[in-house]
Amino acid sequence: MTPEVKDLLNRLLRSIDYERDEERERHLEEMKKLSGKAREYKGRAIVELKKKKIGRSLGGDYLYLFRKQRGGYLPDTEIGNGDQVIISQYDPLDVENPKGTVYEMSNTSITIAMSSQLSMSNTRPIRIDLFVNDITYMRMETALSNAKSHQYSRLHALLSGFYNANTKPFDYENNELNQMQVQGIRLALGNNGYYSIQGPPGTGKTYTAGYLIQRMVQTNHRVLITADSNAAVDNMIRKLVELGENPLRIGNPIRVNQDLKEYTLDYKVMQHALFNEIETIESKIDMEKEAQKHLDKPSMKYTRGLTHKEIMELIEKRQSARGIPKQALKEMKPWVKSQLTIDDLYDKLKEVRDEIRSQLISSHNIIATTNSTAGSELLLYDHFDWVIIDEAAQASIPSSLIPILKGERFVLLGDHFQLPPVVLNREAKELGLAESLMDYLAKKYPYQMTMLTVQYRMHQKINDLVSQLFYDGLVEPHNSVAHRKLDFGKKVIECIHVEGDEQMQSDSKSYFNELEMSKVEKTIERLMAKGLTEDQIAVISPYKAQATQLRKRLLNRFEIDTVDAFQGREKDVVILSFVRSNEDERIGFLKDYRRLNVSISRAKKKLIMIGNFKTLKTDRLFREMLELVEVIEG
């Protein structure tokens, strides 16, 4: 391992500590300073709830449904499926508070999955707080530490930039794909360590990935497919299912879309021939627990520090120990005997469940999961011929290393000209956590990448704007979309100049702009008067405060989100509100060309940009963009 690679891995290990502490401190600081109601307003808590136990999940967790005590709708919230939350009735900072995972959400309820039963009554209101999930950080640290091992010498050479990375084109043809998609697959299949496929907006990256993975399986290879987000993993699974493949989705079924449940490990466990044995054991456990309720539970003062097995040994030997009277030991025997039976049943349950899971994992050639879950115990001893990482440009190097260490060769799919990994802490960014492995390797091996150049989303004019600004004019629209536009209006790209006042939200660093919001509303009214429907229009903004306030003003009737959250999505018409408006030539993170790329490449038929272009034009890239719009629109 070269000093450069050693330094890289050590820097990234330090960066994870900074990022974990930053995320935890942000949550704790907010929980200290703000009331439950104030945190609910910010979208990171839900208060005044009552609970109801509703059963068990596929994985055996206890499910509790929470509603507002007085009924009605839940507030707008950042909390979503798969998030870890703290549940409390008194002090939300109490370390003894139970934690759970959001299983399902509706307008009126939130369902939480718990590993153990919740011992809270409805006599006091219940509060749910969004919190940090430490598991992913731990798995990234483990991956970085393991990556230092000599067994990963090829990875060390690759990271150093001195590896002889090359590819011998594989024999592959497919009439369903365009020329560059086929070329990407050929070169990816023939690589001697790694390859990247860059997918600019709308170029069918995931579509291409599906055929790539199918070919790998056809050549009797075992494939691990991952992405940083559950949504990206699910998109890949859908494509593979369309192609007739049978992927196995590993991870908490809570985080998997409903239409893909039948491909999850937990669902397939329930269909397994041995599942009847699990149900029998669970029934025995329930019966034993019910019987145990009628037995006297030993006092903690006698049992503290002793296992149930050790207590039973004392009872069998008829010995007193640590001041426990013989009579007390005798009285404990029925309950302890019952508990040992329950413990044995749980051991047997785990043994059977592990056997089923092991059989299922080994019998599937395509395993799909998130980068983080690739580091779970379920896949601890599994090794793959190929690792495919989708949306790789949005995953940090430590996140990508988790699955990569489990494979012989890997392929990265993504676009490092779009949004990078999200990192909160400044020191973590400086140490390299905000750089993706795709971007890192593209700088060292620019020839180990195919860029897809035909896009299937945007009208010719929107395509030309995006292609000229970010892809040297190489991206072209497919004939099926090049001239697809609305039935009214001459302009495909509209720029609406608004000199509003930017304002910073008092309790955050996010900005909003009232005048731009009003202009968004009027623009929507104009579009709908022409016959457009709500599901044809999306409103996006780089700033969360703007998106949140627009959502409330427009009563959630339209798809409204931040630019970052909207990556990978599209609409017929996209209205983009830039927000920043000042005389000091400050535009903040709008300077990031990758964010601008995502911003202007979501629209299929019409792009409407609203902002103070006097302020924005002080930046070279915005100036170039506005000049291009003038040329494109004549």
Side-chain angles (χ1 to χ4, degrees), residues 509-536:
K509 294 180 180 178
S510 190
Y511 288 87
F512 64 96
N513 187 315
E514 292 277 359
L515 196 57
E516 284 191 25
M517 282 190 244
S518 298
K519 183 59 73 174
V520 168
E521 288 178 301
K522 288 175 183 175
T523 302
I524 288 175
E525 288 172 11
R526 169 167 59 91
L527 292 169
M528 295 193 72
K530 296 285 188 180
L532 287 190
T533 57
E534 293 175 359
D535 62 355
Q536 288 180 282

Side-chain angles (χ1 to χ4, degrees), residues 417-446:
F417 292 174
Q418 294 187 61
L419 290 169
V422 176
V423 176
L424 302 174
N425 182 268
R426 181 174 55 82
E427 287 90 345
K429 287 180 183 176
E430 291 172 356
L431 289 168
L433 193 61
E435 183 175 33
S436 70
L437 185 63
M438 186 172 190
D439 198 17
Y440 179 90
L441 292 177
K443 293 169 185 171
K444 295 186 179 293
Y445 310 95

Side-chain angles (χ1 to χ4, degrees), residues 245-311:
E245 299 299 332
N246 183 32
L248 179 64
R249 175 69 155 96
I250 291 182
N252 196 326
I254 294 165
R255 297 176 169 90
V256 180
N257 281 333
Q258 292 291 332
D259 63 312
L260 299 174
K261 293 291 184 189
E262 64 184 281
Y263 298 97
T264 63
L265 177 61
D266 282 8
Y267 180 87
K268 293 194 177 191
V269 165
M270 294 176 67
Q271 311 306 311
H272 196 278
L274 290 176
F275 188 71
N276 286 339
E277 196 172 335
I278 286 179
E279 291 183 311
T280 301
I281 296 169
E282 286 179 336
S283 177
K284 288 180 179 178
I285 290 172
D286 289 340
M287 288 172 61
E288 190 64 41
K289 282 184 173 181
E290 190 59 36
Q292 194 185 55
K293 289 179 182 178
H294 304 289
L295 303 175
D296 292 331
K297 187 174 181 179
S299 169
M300 284 290 289
K301 70 177 181 179
Y302 291 143
T303 61
R304 188 177 288 111
L306 291 172
T307 65
H308 299 129
K309 193 172 182 180
E310 289 169 340
I311 295 170

Side-chain angles (χ1 to χ4, degrees), residues 17 180 188 288 335 410 416 454 539 598:
D17 281 336
M180 294 307 292
E288 190 64 41
W335 190 93
F410 65 93
H416 51 301
V454 179
V539 182
V598 175

